[in-house]
Amino acid sequence: MFSKILIANRGEIALRIQRACREMGIKTVAVHSTADADAMHVRLADEAVCIGPPSSRDSYLNVAAILSAATITGAEAIHPGYGFLSENAEFAETVEEHGLAFIGPTAQHIRMMGDKITAKTTMRELGVPLVPGSDGALPDLQSAREVAERVGYPVLIKAAAGGGGRGMKVAKTADEIEEAWTVARTEARAAFGNDEVYLEKYLNRPRHIELQILGDAHGNVVHFGERDCSLQRRHQKLLEEAGSPALTDAEREEIGRTSTEALARMGYRNAGTLEFLYQDGQFCFIEMNTRLQVEHPVTEMVCSVDLVREQIRIAAGEKLGYTQKDIKMSGHAIECRINAENPETFAPSPGTVNVFHAPGGLGVRMDSALYAGYRIPPYYDSMIAKLIVHAPTRQEAIARMQRALDECVVDGVQTVIPLHRKILADPSFQKGDYTIHWLENFVAAQTKS
Ligand code: MV4
């Protein structure tokens, strides 16, 4: 096992990783920008190294500075967290070339899944169900027309280098296909320097359901059930649940078996998430994330697993030590992301947090790097906390989240807590009756009335 790990991240996820390290007897190295000198992840680490000015490009994305920090402190492994360098194949490669362990998948698997066309082709060959569409990249407009006729309108043209909603264009009818083709290619070239595009049938009211996977370096792959992440606004998730209110145990077992078999055949190791659109009882794979996700705690709560500890053990070459039948989902978990934003306009609200009180009690978890007096810098993501609750049933989890939000005090900046209260009180949310479009419509209805 490693004796010292460098954590190439900031905020709540840096603390989350430090906590796992401390419980495993591993020393931690924090890295930080000059804007984060007073941050909690710096205070709580065993050692800290300043790696550059406020801009992420010059600090948390500065590969040379991070590797130097690892070398001078004698760290043996690097955990990238989420965002920043977590899905950068070159970074993973460089870390290993320097004789350090990258706590994540191989550079080859990161690269493979970073290209959405290669990801889909790979999954298709491994028997994972996909959205009907083109087999690989579209060579020309004519082939786009042909595939669209075959699968039926409406269709979506997506960038191979896209993901997370960037570089997508809908064509509702054949009249719109030329425009969608041209715009998608132009945007893809401008945004990613890669104009490869593919086509899918457009699903009109899916849920976004994702499956948490772990694989070790010995060929063992297991899953920890699904998360329902349909409640998003402009591709920013706001509230997530485990399990999905829409799935049956039989559906979970089937998609779990198909997915773990596929990833075992790929030789996938460490944590990964398969993203699906789920509509009319069908799962359609769309993308894979080759990292720990923001919303991993809801899975940890229902499966009683420490996913970060497992990531570290796997990177050190240890075996999982359990099989699929040992993993049981128990109860229901909900996560509310607390962003320092105006709850109506979503404009960022950086500034000083004068008063901070974290909720507590049975089944309540607050993952946050906040403290009273902390100045939220304007340079980074606006998420300042994740409030996670666990209870025997979904209904009890909703009541527990409402109670926990009532206890939570963040004074000095605006937060999205008032929006979470409204969502939790809504009858269709309470019934679990929602799709990926629900939140956008809900927010629009709130601002009208
Ligand atoms: C889709 C889709 C409908 N049909 N693909 C958006 C982000 C990217 N990860 C994939 N996305 C979508 N792909 C087909 N064939 C609708 C979306 C989509 C979406 C997906 C998940 C969560 C929120 C979303 C919001 C708008 C559109």
Side-chain angles (χ1 to χ4, degrees), residues 120 131-132 155-156 158 162-166 168 198-209 229-237 275-277 279 284 286-287 435-437 440:
K120 283 191 69 177
V131 195
V155 297
L156 255 184
K158 297 184 175 182
R166 293 186 304 161
M168 295 194 332
Y198 60 105
L199 184 147
E200 286 179 352
K201 182 164 183 68
Y202 176 73
L203 303 181
N204 63 340
R205 42 177 186 80
R207 301 177 80 108
H208 176 158
I209 295 181
C229 304
S230 301
L231 294 195
Q232 324 200 1
R233 185 191 158 271
R234 302 202 179 159
H235 305 293
Q236 294 295 321
K237 294 171 185 165
E275 292 191 356
F276 298 93
L277 296 179
Q279 184 173 312
C284 299
I286 49 168
E287 291 172 24
T435 70
I436 59 168
H437 304 296
E440 214 92 50

